[in-house]
Amino acid sequence: MKISFIDILDISLVTIILFQVYRWVYKTAALNIFYGIIATFIFWKVVEIYKMKLLSIVISAFFKGGFLALIIVFQPEIRKFLLIVGSKIFFKKFIFSIFKKSGVSMKTETIDSIVNACAIFSGDKTGVLIVIQLHQDLKEFIKNGDEMDAKVNISLLESIFYKNSPLHDGAVVIIGNKIIKTRAILPVSYNKEIPSRLGLRHRAAIGLSEKTDAICLVISEETGYISYIKDQKRTVINNINNLKMKLEEDLL
C-alpha cells in the first residue's frame, strides 16, 4: 500500500491534536475520561475488524450520542483551545515560529527587578503571588483587582507585598514591563493531586496555569520557597540564578 504525503499529514495532525488534548487534561479530573475515550475507540475498531455488527452499532451510537456530553465534560479545555487559536498572537507565533523564536516584550532590567525582589521576599518569608502574562490575554480570567499602570521595580514590589500593605493580598499581574493589577483574585484549582501542604496561593497559581499560558511565581510565607508555575507544572527554585535563567528563557 502506497503512503502519500496527505496520509502522513493526516496522521501527523491527529497525533498533534491528541498530544495537545492530553497536555490540557493532564493532572485534571478529565484525564481518566480521556483515557476511557481512547480505550473505547480502540475497542470499537477491534470490533469492526472482527465484524461484530451488533456491538459495533452499539458503540457507534455511544460515540454519536455522547458527542454533546464530551463537549460539556471538556468545556474548560475546549474554551482554552479556542481562546488560544482565536488570538492574533497565535497566528503570529504559528507563522514566524519556523524562522525565529517568538518572545514577549520584556526588558532585562524588568526581569532583574522581579528576580531581586523574589530573593528578598524568599529571605524574609513574605507570601507573594506574581503573574506574568505571556501570549494569551488574561482579561478573560482576571476581571477583578485594583488597576495600576506602573513600571516594575523592586521598591514598588516591596511596598505592594509589605505585610501591612492593603495591596498585599491577591496577585500582582505584570504585562510587558508594567504592573497593571494588584490584589487580583485568580481561579483556584481543585485538582486532587496537588499536595495538601500547598496553600491557596499555589492553588490559585496552578488554577490560572490550567487555563492560560501565564507564568506564576509563588513564594511561601511558611518556608520561603519560590515556586515557578507554568503549564500546570510547578518547579521549586533552589537557586535564585535558576529563576533568572527560567524567566529569560520564557521572556527574552
Side-chain angles (χ1 to χ4, degrees):
M1 182 177 66
K2 187 177 180 181
I3 299 177
S4 67
F5 171 75
I6 297 299
D7 294 329
I8 296 173
L9 180 62
D10 184 27
I11 294 170
S12 300
L13 290 175
V14 170
T15 303
I16 292 169
I17 291 170
L18 288 176
F19 177 72
Q20 290 299 327
V21 171
Y22 178 81
R23 283 187 60 194
W24 288 328
V25 302
Y26 181 66
K27 290 187 177 180
T28 68
L31 182 58
N32 289 334
I33 298 173
F34 178 75
Y35 286 149
I37 293 169
I38 296 297
T40 305
F41 181 78
I42 294 172
F43 180 67
W44 180 24
K45 291 303 171 184
V46 171
V47 167
E48 285 188 336
I49 290 172
Y50 287 97
K51 298 180 180 179
M52 300 178 185
K53 294 182 179 179
L54 183 58
L55 194 54
S56 179
I57 291 171
V58 172
I59 299 175
S60 176
F62 166 77
F63 273 102
K64 291 176 182 178
F67 183 72
L68 182 59
L70 290 176
I71 292 177
I72 295 172
V73 169
F74 289 102
Q75 187 269 341
E77 289 74 23
I78 294 172
R79 182 183 179 85
K80 179 180 177 181
F81 171 77
L82 294 177
L83 282 169
I84 293 172
V85 172
S87 67
K88 295 179 181 178
I89 298 175
F90 172 82
F91 292 105
K92 190 184 295 184
K93 283 180 65 183
F94 181 79
I95 294 170
F96 292 107
S97 61
I98 299 174
F99 304 101
K100 62 179 181 179
K101 183 179 178 181
S102 177
V104 180
S105 178
M106 180 173 280
K107 297 178 181 178
T108 302
E109 62 187 76
T110 302
I111 294 176
D112 289 340
S113 295
I114 295 172
V115 170
N116 292 332
C118 286
I120 295 170
F121 295 141
S122 178
D124 295 341
K125 293 185 178 180
T126 300
V128 168
L129 177 51
I130 297 174
V131 175
I132 303 172
Q133 178 175 300
L134 287 182
H135 302 101
Q136 190 174 352
D137 195 341
L138 299 178
K139 291 179 182 178
E140 177 70 22
F141 305 96
I142 306 177
K143 297 179 179 179
N144 48 63
D146 298 331
E147 300 290 337
M148 183 177 281
D149 185 11
K151 184 179 178 181
V152 176
N153 62 71
I154 299 175
S155 299
L156 180 56
L157 288 171
E158 282 188 295
S159 65
I160 290 172
F161 287 110
Y162 176 64
K163 291 182 180 179
N164 293 327
S165 167
L167 301 178
H168 84 282
D169 285 330
V172 160
V173 181
I174 297 174
I175 298 179
N177 302 291
K178 289 187 175 183
I179 297 173
I180 58 98
K181 274 185 184 291
T182 60
R183 296 206 309 164
I185 307 300
L186 309 185
V188 177
S189 174
Y190 294 97
N191 187 344
K192 294 180 180 179
E193 293 188 17
I194 298 175
S196 58
R197 67 179 182 277
L198 298 181
L200 189 58
R201 285 191 182 92
H202 289 86
R203 287 188 171 275
I206 294 171
L208 186 66
S209 76
E210 289 174 352
K211 302 176 184 298
T212 73
D213 63 351
I215 296 170
C216 296
L217 303 177
V218 184
I219 300 178
S220 169
E221 57 187 343
E222 284 80 24
T223 63
Y225 290 162
I226 302 173
S227 295
Y228 190 99
I229 297 172
K230 183 175 181 287
D231 295 332
Q232 306 178 51
K233 296 178 181 178
R234 172 177 173 260
T235 304
V236 177
I237 304 297
N238 298 315
N239 187 308
I240 200 66
N241 290 326
N242 292 341
L243 175 60
K244 183 176 181 179
M245 289 172 59
K246 286 187 71 66
L247 287 173
E248 287 179 343
E249 181 182 344
D250 285 330
L251 297 170
L252 293 182

